[in-house]
Amino acid sequence: NAGVTQTPKFQVLKTGQSMTLQCAQDMNHNSMYWYRQDPGMGLRLIYYSASEGTTDKGEVPNGYNVSRLNKREFSLRLESAAPSQTSVYFCASSGRTGGWTEAFFGQGTRLTVV
Amino acid sequence: DQQVKQNSPSLSVQEGRISILNCDYTNSMFDYFLWYKKYPAEGPTFLISISSIKDKNEDGRFTVFLNKSAKHLSLHIVPSQPGDSAVYFCAARNNNNDMRFGAGTRLTVKP
């Protein structure tokens, strides 16, 4: 009963390095999201995918790219990491049973860029 | 553009009393509203939601009120318990499933 699984849980990058955060859900949900959480800023939407094959920008997309690999997986890529991208990243998914369900979140990835 | 706002960063209440957490939104295209609870080092967990066609939804000790004309919603917790101490996030979603969150309110319930 995994729900939403994010990898890795922790990561330290040097400025300019690239990395991909992975997210997978096993609930057959159509929509997936990437958020970042910063102190005093709450959860800010980076990108979301309303359904397989579509992606849309959220509030803070600059410096990120996403790939909806299939219905289960939604990855977030940092091409050239910057200290301003130090944050906790959360992936979420939501489905549709009649109306939309609530979103379920992963445990988060704590990223530090030095 | 912060479309969902929680203007109180923190709230402290006594055990057994009512906790009222507030949330305002600016985008009239939002049609579904949710509250999430978050503990440190964990992902947010869903608490309660309300559709824009309703003005109240109740689930045990938790009640969410929606005032569409004021673009305002609130979460009432009665009675508050020490285990309710956490950060509470308000969220709003449109029909394209774009979902935005507020900055959160840290609730502390004192025994």
Side-chain angles (χ1 to χ4, degrees), chain A residues 23 30 35 38 47-48 55 57 63 79 85 107:
Chain A
C23 176
N30 290 320
Y35 292 90
D38 303 293
Y47 272 92
Y48 71 105
T55 60
K57 295 179 179 179
E79 290 291 351
Q85 294 178 305
Q107 292 296 297

Side-chain angles (χ1 to χ4, degrees), chain A residues 11-97:
Chain A
Q11 184 71 49
V12 178
L13 289 178
K14 293 183 179 178
T15 297
Q17 286 186 318
S18 62
M19 80 160 294
T20 299
L21 282 64
Q22 306 286 354
C23 176
Q25 52 92 8
D26 61 3
M27 295 173 282
N28 200 35
H29 284 168
N30 290 320
S31 296
M32 298 186 73
Y33 308 81
W34 277 105
Y35 292 90
R36 59 178 288 174
Q37 184 189 12
D38 303 293
M41 303 296 288
L43 292 159
R44 291 185 293 171
L45 181 63
I46 304 171
Y47 272 92
Y48 71 105
S49 172
S51 61
E52 188 179 357
T54 68
T55 60
D56 286 285
K57 295 179 179 179
E59 300 168 83
V60 288
N62 292 343
Y64 305 95
N65 286 302
V66 290
S67 295
R68 184 73 184 266
L69 305 169
N70 47 55
K71 193 171 186 179
R72 289 188 65 247
E73 298 172 286
F74 189 39
S75 62
L76 179 71
R77 183 160 178 84
L78 287 71
E79 290 291 351
S80 179
S84 61
Q85 294 178 305
T86 293
S87 188
V88 181
Y89 291 83
F90 289 100
C91 177
S93 72
S94 68
R96 195 173 184 99
T97 306

